[in-house]
mmCIF file of all heavy atoms in Angstrom:
data_model
loop_
_atom_site.group_PDB
_atom_site.id
_atom_site.type_symbol
_atom_site.label_atom_id
_atom_site.label_comp_id
_atom_site.label_asym_id
_atom_site.label_seq_id
_atom_site.Cartn_x
_atom_site.Cartn_y
_atom_site.Cartn_z
ATOM 1 N N MET O 1 4.195 -21.617 10.770
ATOM 2 C CA MET O 1 2.901 -20.982 10.624
ATOM 3 C C MET O 1 2.641 -20.125 11.860
ATOM 4 O O MET O 1 2.832 -20.582 12.984
ATOM 5 C CB MET O 1 1.813 -22.047 10.474
ATOM 6 C CG MET O 1 0.424 -21.454 10.409
ATOM 7 S SD MET O 1 -0.894 -22.675 10.272
ATOM 8 C CE MET O 1 -0.661 -23.188 8.600
ATOM 9 N N LEU O 6 -8.089 -13.648 17.744
ATOM 10 C CA LEU O 6 -8.996 -12.539 18.018
ATOM 11 C C LEU O 6 -9.964 -12.964 19.113
ATOM 12 O O LEU O 6 -10.469 -14.087 19.092
ATOM 13 C CB LEU O 6 -9.788 -12.160 16.765
ATOM 14 C CG LEU O 6 -9.020 -11.387 15.701
ATOM 15 C CD1 LEU O 6 -8.145 -12.293 14.881
ATOM 16 C CD2 LEU O 6 -9.967 -10.607 14.840
ATOM 17 N N GLY O 12 -17.464 -6.046 18.382
ATOM 18 C CA GLY O 12 -16.387 -6.520 17.532
ATOM 19 C C GLY O 12 -15.424 -7.458 18.213
ATOM 20 O O GLY O 12 -15.789 -8.208 19.129
ATOM 21 N N THR O 21 -2.477 -3.214 20.701
ATOM 22 C CA THR O 21 -3.767 -3.878 20.726
ATOM 23 C C THR O 21 -4.631 -3.230 19.660
ATOM 24 O O THR O 21 -4.625 -2.006 19.507
ATOM 25 C CB THR O 21 -4.433 -3.699 22.109
ATOM 26 O OG1 THR O 21 -3.584 -4.316 23.082
ATOM 27 C CG2 THR O 21 -5.801 -4.320 22.151
ATOM 28 N N LEU O 29 -17.010 3.444 15.143
ATOM 29 C CA LEU O 29 -17.008 3.988 16.501
ATOM 30 C C LEU O 29 -16.325 3.045 17.490
ATOM 31 O O LEU O 29 -15.889 3.471 18.551
ATOM 32 C CB LEU O 29 -18.439 4.268 16.967
ATOM 33 C CG LEU O 29 -19.207 5.352 16.211
ATOM 34 C CD1 LEU O 29 -20.646 5.432 16.713
ATOM 35 C CD2 LEU O 29 -18.512 6.700 16.331
ATOM 36 N N TYR O 35 -12.343 -3.709 6.175
ATOM 37 C CA TYR O 35 -11.842 -3.304 4.864
ATOM 38 C C TYR O 35 -10.688 -2.313 5.003
ATOM 39 O O TYR O 35 -9.763 -2.305 4.186
ATOM 40 C CB TYR O 35 -12.964 -2.764 3.961
ATOM 41 C CG TYR O 35 -13.181 -1.271 4.033
ATOM 42 C CD1 TYR O 35 -12.503 -0.412 3.167
ATOM 43 C CD2 TYR O 35 -14.053 -0.718 4.968
ATOM 44 C CE1 TYR O 35 -12.694 0.964 3.223
ATOM 45 C CE2 TYR O 35 -14.237 0.646 5.026
ATOM 46 C CZ TYR O 35 -13.564 1.480 4.148
ATOM 47 O OH TYR O 35 -13.752 2.837 4.223
ATOM 48 N N GLU O 36 -10.713 -1.485 6.066
ATOM 49 C CA GLU O 36 -9.607 -0.554 6.301
ATOM 50 C C GLU O 36 -8.322 -1.308 6.639
ATOM 51 O O GLU O 36 -7.230 -0.903 6.242
ATOM 52 C CB GLU O 36 -9.958 0.420 7.429
ATOM 53 C CG GLU O 36 -11.068 1.375 7.077
ATOM 54 C CD GLU O 36 -11.603 2.149 8.279
ATOM 55 O OE1 GLU O 36 -11.617 1.601 9.403
ATOM 56 O OE2 GLU O 36 -12.022 3.308 8.077
ATOM 57 N N PHE O 50 8.575 -0.595 -1.590
ATOM 58 C CA PHE O 50 9.025 0.517 -2.440
ATOM 59 C C PHE O 50 10.134 1.298 -1.743
ATOM 60 O O PHE O 50 11.184 1.589 -2.322
ATOM 61 C CB PHE O 50 7.821 1.407 -2.764
ATOM 62 C CG PHE O 50 8.072 2.530 -3.734
ATOM 63 C CD1 PHE O 50 8.833 2.353 -4.884
ATOM 64 C CD2 PHE O 50 7.503 3.769 -3.517
ATOM 65 C CE1 PHE O 50 9.025 3.392 -5.788
ATOM 66 C CE2 PHE O 50 7.692 4.819 -4.403
ATOM 67 C CZ PHE O 50 8.457 4.629 -5.547
ATOM 68 N N GLU O 55 15.863 2.781 -0.889
ATOM 69 C CA GLU O 55 17.014 2.853 0.015
ATOM 70 C C GLU O 55 18.179 2.000 -0.480
ATOM 71 O O GLU O 55 19.335 2.421 -0.404
ATOM 72 C CB GLU O 55 16.605 2.448 1.428
ATOM 73 C CG GLU O 55 15.730 3.483 2.105
ATOM 74 C CD GLU O 55 15.159 3.028 3.447
ATOM 75 O OE1 GLU O 55 15.290 1.826 3.806
ATOM 76 O OE2 GLU O 55 14.553 3.882 4.121
ATOM 77 N N ASP O 73 -17.999 -3.046 -4.282
ATOM 78 C CA ASP O 73 -19.115 -3.525 -5.086
ATOM 79 C C ASP O 73 -20.290 -3.871 -4.166
ATOM 80 O O ASP O 73 -20.290 -4.918 -3.516
ATOM 81 C CB ASP O 73 -18.675 -4.748 -5.889
ATOM 82 C CG ASP O 73 -19.726 -5.232 -6.858
ATOM 83 O OD1 ASP O 73 -20.896 -4.796 -6.768
ATOM 84 O OD2 ASP O 73 -19.386 -6.067 -7.721
ATOM 85 N N LEU O 75 -23.175 -4.831 -4.868
ATOM 86 C CA LEU O 75 -23.956 -5.984 -5.307
ATOM 87 C C LEU O 75 -23.274 -7.316 -4.993
ATOM 88 O O LEU O 75 -23.865 -8.368 -5.173
ATOM 89 C CB LEU O 75 -24.236 -5.888 -6.813
ATOM 90 C CG LEU O 75 -25.010 -4.637 -7.252
ATOM 91 C CD1 LEU O 75 -25.146 -4.606 -8.771
ATOM 92 C CD2 LEU O 75 -26.368 -4.574 -6.573
ATOM 93 N N GLY O 91 11.125 15.191 -3.115
ATOM 94 C CA GLY O 91 12.578 15.226 -3.095
ATOM 95 C C GLY O 91 13.122 16.264 -4.050
ATOM 96 O O GLY O 91 12.378 16.938 -4.761
ATOM 97 N N GLN O 98 13.208 6.010 -13.103
ATOM 98 C CA GLN O 98 13.745 5.066 -12.117
ATOM 99 C C GLN O 98 12.708 4.737 -11.056
ATOM 100 O O GLN O 98 12.529 3.581 -10.681
ATOM 101 C CB GLN O 98 14.999 5.637 -11.454
ATOM 102 C CG GLN O 98 15.645 4.675 -10.474
ATOM 103 C CD GLN O 98 16.127 3.415 -11.153
ATOM 104 O OE1 GLN O 98 16.891 3.475 -12.107
ATOM 105 N NE2 GLN O 98 15.680 2.263 -10.684
ATOM 106 N N GLU O 104 7.127 -0.653 -9.949
ATOM 107 C CA GLU O 104 6.739 -1.925 -10.577
ATOM 108 C C GLU O 104 7.389 -3.099 -9.852
ATOM 109 O O GLU O 104 6.752 -4.121 -9.606
ATOM 110 C CB GLU O 104 7.149 -1.940 -12.048
ATOM 111 C CG GLU O 104 6.299 -1.066 -12.934
ATOM 112 C CD GLU O 104 6.776 -1.072 -14.382
ATOM 113 O OE1 GLU O 104 7.391 -2.076 -14.824
ATOM 114 O OE2 GLU O 104 6.538 -0.058 -15.068
ATOM 115 N N ASN O 109 7.019 -7.626 -5.636
ATOM 116 C CA ASN O 109 7.616 -8.200 -4.430
ATOM 117 C C ASN O 109 6.819 -7.953 -3.159
ATOM 118 O O ASN O 109 7.266 -8.327 -2.075
ATOM 119 C CB ASN O 109 9.049 -7.679 -4.275
ATOM 120 C CG ASN O 109 9.961 -8.290 -5.297
ATOM 121 O OD1 ASN O 109 10.335 -9.444 -5.185
ATOM 122 N ND2 ASN O 109 10.294 -7.534 -6.337
#
Side-chain angles (χ1 to χ4, degrees):
M1 176 181 287
L6 285 79
T21 298
L29 295 175
Y35 92 91
E36 293 168 327
F50 185 43
E55 289 173 351
D73 186 347
L75 301 176
Q98 183 63 55
E104 287 178 27
N109 288 285

